[in-house]
């Protein structure tokens, strides 16, 4: 029996079982566990606010990570969701996954014309005996659950990027090397990075929001939602909807989410590998670093052409990240506020 559970039982034995957790959480929960949510990239600042509305009222980490990334899916001018860059045939195809504190998980991949893939992933988790649905089947399931079929028209910015891309039609993922960041110091950069960043060639420097949270009951959950890699081959699926690669949660240890070149996260079962390092006693940052270094050693000189990043949150609410290259940041929301932290990186 965990300390958290005991804490709850102590309260209930005092005869206040019906008392809601609301109101406790902004300061500390019944067991001293302060909620925290962390999410990838600068878009994470807004997403965290959505998650914090849930966590600060005593809501579950699961609800928080769904609501949080929905904020980003809604930002049509952003790089995640239906406003994102299309595949090379001109269609936006979306991947998403969600996982709770009891190893329940759900995901969708190659999903088209649905605004909130993360919520479809949650329905897969809660309403089906399966973990993953893809393509037409995933869309059909979404419609059966009351989701609306959205237009397939590209957003203005995606249309423009696609037109530019068609001029050469070469598939070359852009890594986010434009921002130079200090190798060691973490810094708070909220003011500098209020809007999702675009590279000077007009491309987004990322297409994903990943989020992990710890609630006042001491439970972890995670979510990840993405348009994948812009101008990818039709049918390509990345790491984000693959449980164990793009996202993994073990409530006894920690929760991890990945962003960057999905193919290289999949080949090392990235998020799960980071969790295993934390299980062996590594800090969240060190656990992320070990898996990034593994990818670097596998890729050798090709590591120069890709970006891979992990963020991790352990059971005690400690967090960390590591990226292959500079330019990655993540947003952290605690009772102290919401801030952006620049990630440590390898090369
Ligand atoms: C993918 N990992 O589909 C995602 C892409 C990403 O920032 O994270 N972009 O490979």
């Amino acid at each position: 029996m965990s300390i958290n559970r005991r804490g709850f039982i102590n309260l209930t034995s005092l005869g206040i079982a019906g008392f809601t957790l609301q109101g406790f959480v902004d300061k500390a929960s019944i067991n001293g566990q302060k909620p925290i949510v962390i999410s990838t990239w600068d878009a994470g600042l807004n997403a965290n606010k959505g998650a914090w509305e849930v966590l600060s009222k005593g809501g579950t980490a699961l609800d928080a990570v769904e609501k949080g990334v929905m904020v980003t899916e809604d930002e049509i001018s952003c790089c995640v969701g239906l406003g994102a860059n299309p595949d090379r045939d001109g269609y936006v195809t979306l991947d998403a996954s969600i996982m709770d504190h009891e190893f329940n998980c759900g995901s969708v991949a190659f999903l088209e014309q649905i605004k909130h893939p993360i919520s479809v992933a949650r329905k897969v988790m809660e309403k089906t005996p399966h973990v993953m649905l893809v393509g037409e089947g995933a869309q059909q399931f979404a419609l059966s659950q009351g989701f609306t079929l959205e237009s397939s028209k590209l957003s203005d910015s995606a249309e423009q990027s696609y037109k530019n891309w068609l001029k050469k039609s070469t598939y070359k993922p852009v890594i986010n090397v434009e921002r130079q960041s200090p190798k060691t110091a973490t810094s708070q950069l909220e003011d500098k990075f209020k809007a999702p960043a675009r590279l000077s060639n007009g491309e987004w420097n990322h297409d994903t929001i990943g989020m992990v949270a710890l609630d006042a009951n001491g439970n972890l959950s995670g979510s990840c939602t993405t348009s994948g890699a812009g101008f990818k081959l039709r049918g390509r699926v990345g790491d984000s909807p693959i449980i164990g690669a793009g996202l993994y949660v073990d409530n006894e240890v920690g929760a991890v989410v990945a962003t960057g070149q999905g193919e290289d996260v999949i080949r090392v079962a990235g998020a799960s590998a980071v969790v295993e390092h934390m299980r062996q006693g590594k800090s969240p940052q060190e656990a992320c670093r070990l898996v990034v270094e593994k990818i670097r050693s596998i890729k050798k000189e090709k590591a120069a052409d890709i970006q891979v990043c992990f963020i991790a949150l352990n059971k005690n609410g400690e967090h960390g990240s590591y990226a292959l290259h500079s330019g990655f940041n993540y947003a952290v929301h605690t009772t102290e506020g919401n801030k952006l932290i620049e990630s440590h990186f390898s090369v």
Side-chain angles (χ1 to χ4, degrees):
M1 188 182 288
S2 73
I3 296 166
N4 301 336
R5 179 97 184 117
R6 268 204 299 274
F8 184 71
I9 285 166
N10 285 345
L11 265 189
T12 55
S13 66
L14 289 174
I16 50 174
F19 196 89
T20 127
L21 279 179
Q22 291 192 8
F24 276 87
V25 177
D26 262 346
K27 293 164 191 74
S29 84
I30 45 174
N31 51 36
Q33 178 62 64
K34 287 187 178 180
I36 174 171
V37 55
I38 69 174
S39 57
T40 56
W41 305 105
D42 34 2
L45 286 172
N46 273 346
N48 280 358
K49 286 182 198 159
W52 195 252
E53 277 181 27
V54 176
L55 291 173
S56 63
K57 291 181 183 135
T60 64
L62 179 64
D63 285 340
V65 297
E66 181 189 6
K67 292 285 169 322
V69 301
M70 282 173 77
V71 170
T72 322
E73 287 178 341
D74 262 330
E75 286 169 359
I76 205 71
S77 62
C78 186
C79 42
V80 171
L82 291 175
N85 285 335
D87 65 15
R88 58 179 57 200
D89 292 4
Y91 302 98
V92 176
T93 73
L94 304 173
D95 300 339
S97 65
I98 194 160
M99 188 161 187
D100 77 4
H101 61 292
E102 293 178 317
F103 296 97
N104 296 307
C105 45
S107 73
V108 288
F110 192 40
L111 177 63
E112 293 176 63
Q113 290 178 253
I114 300 288
K115 195 172 190 181
H116 289 299
I118 195 64
S119 302
V120 186
R122 182 163 178 181
K123 291 276 188 214
V124 173
M125 172 173 105
E126 290 177 342
K127 305 274 187 203
T128 80
H130 309 305
V131 164
M132 187 170 194
L133 292 178
V134 305
E136 247 180 69
Q139 190 190 69
Q140 200 177 313
F141 170 72
L143 298 180
S144 78
Q145 295 297 310
F147 290 81
T148 313
L149 196 64
E150 307 287 338
S151 157
S152 58
K153 193 178 168 325
L154 296 182
S155 67
D156 292 346
S157 57
E159 174 100 52
Q160 198 47 51
S161 303
Y162 186 49
K163 279 187 184 148
N164 287 343
W165 179 79
L166 281 173
K167 288 179 195 154
K168 287 196 183 151
S169 303
T170 48
Y171 180 65
K172 191 169 187 308
V174 187
I175 64 167
N176 60 317
V177 290
E178 291 208 346
R179 283 190 218 135
Q180 287 307 315
S181 44
K183 179 123 186 163
T184 48
T186 56
S187 46
Q188 297 176 16
L189 300 167
E190 181 156 15
D191 287 343
K192 273 197 198 162
F193 295 115
K194 280 214 167 109
R198 271 187 179 253
L199 300 175
S200 54
N201 65 0
E203 296 302 331
W204 297 112
N205 72 357
H206 52 88
D207 324 85
T208 299
I209 177 113
M211 174 178 278
V212 289
L214 180 66
D215 64 29
N217 279 319
N219 287 324
L220 291 158
S221 288
S223 62
C224 192
T225 180
T226 185
S227 59
F231 319 121
K232 60 197 172 188
L233 274 178
R234 183 138 180 84
R236 180 265 187 189
V237 169
D239 58 315
S240 305
I242 312 282
I243 299 296
L247 174 68
Y248 200 63
V249 179
D250 182 329
N251 204 45
E252 300 222 319
V253 179
V256 176
V257 69
T259 180
Q261 178 94 352
E263 284 76 1
D264 295 305
V265 175
I266 293 172
R267 68 179 100 251
V268 298
S272 164
V274 175
V275 166
E276 290 314 309
H277 284 302
M278 289 198 285
R279 194 190 308 282
Q280 303 305 320
K282 298 289 187 272
S283 70
Q285 183 187 312
E286 179 61 4
C288 293
R289 189 187 73 79
L290 288 167
V291 179
V292 166
E293 290 302 345
K294 166 133 190 167
I295 293 170
R296 190 179 160 195
S297 71
I298 292 168
K299 298 296 286 184
K300 301 193 177 71
E301 64 282 2
K302 289 190 184 141
D305 302 328
I306 60 158
Q307 173 65 302
V308 174
C309 331
F310 295 98
I311 61 171
L313 178 63
N314 72 15
K315 190 70 185 160
N316 301 324
E318 295 153 350
H319 56 88
S321 76
Y322 211 79
L324 193 48
H325 294 278
S326 66
F328 175 58
N329 49 26
Y330 70 106
V332 180
H333 203 321
T334 64
T335 50
E336 317 282 294
N338 195 14
K339 68 183 181 191
L340 204 57
I341 292 183
E342 192 151 1
S343 179
H344 294 247
F345 58 94
S346 177
V347 282

